[in-house]
Amino acid sequence: MAPKPGILSEWPWRPLGNFKYLLLAPFAVHSTYSFMTKGKEERDLFEFLIFPFMLWRVLHNQMWISVSRYITAKGTKRIVDRGINFELVDFESNWDDEIMLNGIAFYVLNKMMLYFGGSPFPLWRKGGVIVTILLHIGPLEFTHYWWHRLMHLPYFYTRYHYHHHAFIASESNNASVTAFLEVASFYMIFGIPLLGMVLTGTGSIIVIYGYITLFEFLNGAGHCNFEVTPKWLFSKFHPFMFTSSFHALHHTQFWTNYSLFLPFYDYIYGTYDKSSDIIYETSDKRPEESPDVVHLTHLTTADSIYHLQFGFLTLAAEPQSSKWYLKVLWPLTCLSVIFIRMCGRAFISERNTFKKLKLQSWVVPRYNKQYFSQKQRGDINKLIEDAILEADKKGAKAFSLGLMNQQEDLNRNGELYIQRHPQLKVKVVDGSSLAAAVVLNSIPAETTQVILRGKLDKVAYAIASALCQKGIQQNNLILYFKQVVTLRENEFEKLKHIYKSKSNVVLSHTFDQKVWLVGNGLIEKEQLKASKGTIFIPFSQYPPKEVRKDCYYHTTPSMMAPKSFQNLHSCENWLPRRAISASRVAGIVHALEGWDVHDCGTNMLGIDKVWDASLQHGFLPLPIPV
């Protein structure tokens, strides 16, 4: 929002939320019906293609967003080295408003043209190309330059143009984030070539839609934050050649580089930033960033790729959940599954900074179902092993294993890799110590009995061991847990065998306990037997299915990131905003503390040691549901 919002700065359909798309329905339905029922001579192909063209524009913008975020995450060719946050994502979530306005304007203006005696646009007219080029280079660029300068005057900037400059770090979707009245005013300028074609009778479908596509391509390039203009093209047409560096400087300096796509006008009027050429020359020489900490995760479901940072902006910025409209994209989802299956190495999905550490998240191109397949385990272990070796080669200090990458059945909680490569300098962390600490410190202070349910893994045994001791330190109070209750005889025997000296592990057939510590394997039938108000605290990587409405479900082991944790603008799987999984936090803390040991396999750092270190570095526990 601008510091001093001007009249009509808000988009008129903003109160409708996602229902705004219904405004297009009458136009799209009418144009389709008219095209299908009229004879060949009377059909208006231009009007019929307006809605498909809008969908193409959305896809075009999404491609720019995905590519720019991926390249920015890699750290190569980055122009402006500034992070973004959830606030920016929310602010720019309406980037498609301009596309909607353009579609509605086309529907209305096309009807008006036909009403006043005009004829439908033909598919192709050569003269339209010449008219468009001349009117763009002359009147459009000249008028835009001076109107853009006007928008940077304090009165107009604080009321309208601030929307476009709210955040210094630009993304491709930022190109369309503008106040409503400003967009309407710019449309009068951008419409000069289109009006010229109509008045000269040279307009055609290919030229109109082609011009807008090229216009949007250059606009996306100007805001993508990496350089796309080839050097040979720049050297031949400079100073007429538009570059990404040219417009990126406008978003950092504000008072230079006003031109749209022809920097020539900035040369004429003395507003060209001389550092534009220097930044252009050096932007593609930036080496790929070497991380200090790598967190390795993997895809979960087929549509989880849309929830990654370079997927859909609004989905990535919210906890992962199933969305009905993703089913419409099943052809694209199927193609992505095939492409992912062909990937032979982990790829980077996120880049962050914390204190002096450079952090990266990498993704194994495999899905949940493949991790359960015996045939796939060799392939998956090879992908994880190669990622560890690559991180080691790049000089990373810690490598944390997230989700199912540290399963005991897969690689013995990561021990497999350190046995194969004893010379590893990077320290492999499975996060079990911190996961156990998070669960233990999530148990309400007044608790005297807990139920332990689900598949018993390394974390579960660590939790049971801590609870079986005489007392544990929590919230500055000494707590004495009378019993750790198990519901299955085989689990009871395992715990009794491990903790022979502990008499407070009991087998129970009642469900009165109000705190359940649950892992994978918790079935719905068992949840239904829990008493009202029970708190389910997961110790597993995956959350249990929430069956009960009268009970409380805590998040999987995780902690809230400190405010100094930079460039965090996507949610980690199903965790809330700024929540980070315990395994990921454990890797970061491991590097910050400089611990020179692996924390995986049979090795396990002290629970209290890791917990205290995490708190000291600013990570906080998530609030317990009440």
Side-chain angles (χ1 to χ4, degrees):
M1 177 63 70
K4 301 177 181 178
I7 185 173
L8 294 179
S9 60
E10 286 288 341
W11 288 79
W13 47 69
R14 188 174 184 84
L16 298 177
N18 288 333
F19 289 104
K20 65 184 180 182
Y21 304 116
L22 295 177
L23 297 175
L24 286 168
F27 297 104
V29 171
H30 177 267
S31 63
T32 304
Y33 176 78
S34 179
F35 185 82
M36 299 299 293
T37 56
K38 288 184 177 180
K40 188 175 181 180
E41 298 286 332
E42 300 175 330
R43 289 176 177 173
D44 188 350
L45 182 60
F46 176 82
E47 184 185 52
F48 175 72
L49 291 176
I50 291 176
F51 186 71
F53 181 67
M54 290 175 63
L55 296 179
W56 155 245
R57 289 189 62 190
V58 171
L59 178 61
H60 185 193
N61 275 270
Q62 182 59 47
M63 288 190 294
W64 269 117
I65 293 168
S66 298
V67 172
S68 63
R69 281 194 162 193
Y70 176 70
I71 290 180
T72 301
K74 287 186 66 176
T76 56
K77 299 186 178 181
R78 192 170 66 256
I79 300 172
V80 179
D81 194 10
R82 296 287 185 92
I84 62 177
N85 52 35
F86 287 106
E87 186 181 5
L88 175 63
V89 173
D90 292 339
F91 188 82
E92 297 183 344
S93 62
N94 65 329
W95 61 269
D96 57 342
D97 280 345
E98 186 272 328
I99 297 175
M100 277 192 59
L101 181 62
N102 180 216
I104 292 173
F106 269 16
Y107 279 120
V108 173
L109 294 175
N110 185 63
K111 285 295 184 184
M112 290 177 61
M113 182 188 70
L114 297 178
Y115 179 79
F116 287 106
S119 56
F121 291 113
L123 187 63
W124 167 254
R125 277 186 183 144
K126 183 171 60 177
V129 178
I130 300 173
V131 170
T132 300
I133 293 175
L134 293 176
L135 292 179
H136 180 94
I137 293 175
L140 190 153
E141 286 280 353
F142 176 80
T143 308
H144 174 273
Y145 173 85
W146 285 106
W147 188 253
H148 194 182
R149 286 192 67 169
L150 179 68
M151 285 291 107
H152 275 263
L153 294 178
Y155 180 85
F156 295 104
Y157 184 85
T158 56
R159 287 165 174 78
Y160 298 104
H161 200 54
Y162 174 84
H163 285 77
H164 189 65
H165 286 274
F167 297 86
I168 293 176
S170 62
E171 292 187 295
S172 294
N173 56 296
N174 178 256
S176 303
V177 179
T178 319
F180 172 71
L181 188 60
E182 184 181 4
V183 170
S185 65
F186 273 120
Y187 266 25
M188 298 176 66
I189 300 173
F190 299 153
I192 291 175
L194 304 181
L195 180 62
M197 282 188 285
V198 172
L199 295 178
T200 57
T202 56
S204 65
I205 296 173
I206 293 178
V207 174
I208 293 174
Y209 288 147
Y211 171 70
I212 294 174
T213 298
L214 178 60
F215 189 102
E216 198 155 58
F217 177 86
L218 293 173
N219 207 19
H223 293 85
C224 68
N225 202 27
F226 69 93
E227 192 54 70
V228 297
T229 306
K231 285 191 174 181
W232 65 268
L233 195 62
F234 177 77
S235 60
K236 282 187 176 182
F237 295 98
H238 184 68
F240 296 96
M241 194 67 235
F242 173 78
T243 66
S244 306
S245 304
F246 171 84
H247 194 72
L249 271 176
H250 173 71
H251 277 262
T252 57
Q253 304 299 335
F254 299 106
W255 303 108
T256 58
N257 296 4
Y258 293 106
S259 295
L260 184 59
F261 303 135
L262 290 178
F264 178 71
Y265 286 96
D266 281 288
Y267 273 99
I268 294 176
Y269 298 111
T271 53
Y272 185 81
D273 194 322
K274 295 180 181 179
S275 59
S276 300
D277 296 346
I278 299 174
I279 292 179
Y280 172 82
E281 294 292 340
T282 58
S283 63
D284 64 342
K285 295 179 181 179
R286 185 191 293 269
E288 187 170 334
E289 220 168 56
S290 296
D292 296 307
V293 181
V294 174
H295 177 65
L296 189 67
T297 182
H298 60 80
L299 296 168
T300 53
T301 59
D303 58 8
S304 62
I305 193 167
Y306 301 125
H307 296 266
L308 293 179
Q309 190 185 74
F310 51 80
F312 294 162
L313 299 178
T314 52
L315 290 184
E318 298 293 339
Q320 184 173 324
S321 60
S322 179
K323 303 293 184 182
W324 64 268
Y325 53 82
L326 291 181
K327 294 180 181 179
V328 180
L329 300 177
W330 67 266
L332 183 61
T333 304
C334 291
L335 288 176
S336 71
V337 170
I338 296 173
F339 175 76
I340 288 295
R341 185 65 185 87
M342 295 170 60
C343 290
R345 56 182 294 181
F347 58 87
I348 184 171
S349 65
E350 189 172 352
R351 177 181 61 89
N352 311 101
T353 56
F354 180 54
K355 296 187 176 180
K356 295 183 179 181
L357 295 182
K358 297 175 182 178
L359 317 175
Q360 290 184 0
S361 291
W362 296 0
V363 179
V364 174
R366 296 295 181 267
Y367 301 93
N368 277 356
K369 290 184 178 179
Q370 292 171 291
Y371 277 78
F372 290 109
S373 171
Q374 289 283 353
K375 295 180 180 180
Q376 297 282 341
R377 287 185 176 180
D379 172 53
I380 292 173
N381 270 324
K382 182 66 166 58
L383 289 169
I384 299 173
E385 185 175 4
D386 288 345
I388 293 174
L389 294 176
E390 184 179 354
D392 187 60
K393 184 178 179 181
K394 291 183 176 182
K397 300 175 183 178
F399 190 98
S400 56
L401 300 171
L403 294 183
M404 301 173 74
N405 289 321
Q406 39 94 2
Q407 282 189 116
E408 184 176 354
D409 296 341
L410 180 68
N411 49 46
R412 302 192 302 276
N413 303 117
E415 189 176 27
L416 174 68
Y417 312 120
I418 59 176
Q419 287 182 345
R420 287 181 177 178
H421 306 281
Q423 76 286 0
L424 278 176
K425 294 180 180 179
V426 64
K427 302 307 173 186
V428 182
V429 179
D430 66 10
S432 299
S433 302
L434 186 56
V438 169
V439 173
L440 289 168
N441 285 276
S442 298
I443 300 172
E446 67 278 4
T447 305
T448 57
Q449 287 187 337
V450 296
I451 285 182
L452 189 64
R453 265 302 302 122
K455 181 182 178 182
L456 297 182
D457 55 12
K458 182 181 176 182
V459 177
Y461 287 125
I463 293 170
S465 176
L467 292 178
C468 284
Q469 295 175 12
K470 291 183 179 180
I472 62 170
Q473 190 75 23
Q474 180 177 340
N475 299 332
N476 299 321
L477 295 174
I478 299 294
L479 305 181
Y480 295 93
F481 287 86
K482 296 179 181 178
Q483 294 176 332
V484 178
V485 181
T486 63
L487 299 179
R488 293 185 179 178
E489 191 169 351
N490 61 333
E491 295 169 353
F492 172 70
E493 293 300 331
K494 285 182 182 179
L495 291 174
K496 291 293 287 185
H497 176 73
I498 295 174
Y499 310 113
K500 292 180 180 179
S501 60
K502 312 301 180 186
S503 60
N504 48 1
V505 178
V506 299
L507 180 64
S508 174
H509 299 285
T510 63
F511 303 87
D512 298 330
Q513 294 78 8
K514 290 291 187 178
V515 177
W516 288 36
L517 309 182
V518 298
N520 295 324
L522 178 69
I523 60 177
E524 296 182 18
K525 185 178 179 181
E526 289 176 334
Q527 291 190 52
L528 294 175
K529 293 180 179 179
S531 59
K532 182 179 179 180
T534 295
I535 300 177
F536 293 98
I537 303 177
F539 58 78
S540 58
Q541 294 280 351
Y542 287 85
K545 184 178 180 181
E546 298 185 8
V547 177
R548 299 286 297 273
K549 301 296 183 183
D550 57 350
C551 295
Y552 305 101
Y553 293 82
H554 199 25
T555 60
T556 52
S558 54
M559 302 187 77
M560 296 299 295
K563 291 183 178 179
S564 57
F565 199 98
Q566 297 296 313
N567 201 38
L568 188 60
H569 55 276
S570 61
C571 290
E572 186 178 348
N573 299 316
W574 40 81
L575 296 177
R577 288 184 171 186
R578 299 198 65 81
I580 301 177
S581 64
S583 57
R584 187 176 173 188
V585 175
I588 297 170
V589 172
H590 206 96
L592 288 170
E593 292 291 316
W595 291 327
D596 196 27
V597 293
H598 296 288
D599 185 15
C600 64
T602 56
N603 296 330
M604 195 166 181
L605 292 176
I607 291 176
D608 292 336
K609 177 181 179 180
V610 178
W611 176 254
D612 291 340
S614 300
L615 295 179
Q616 288 173 7
H617 288 292
F619 293 96
L620 298 173
L622 273 71
I624 301 171
V626 293

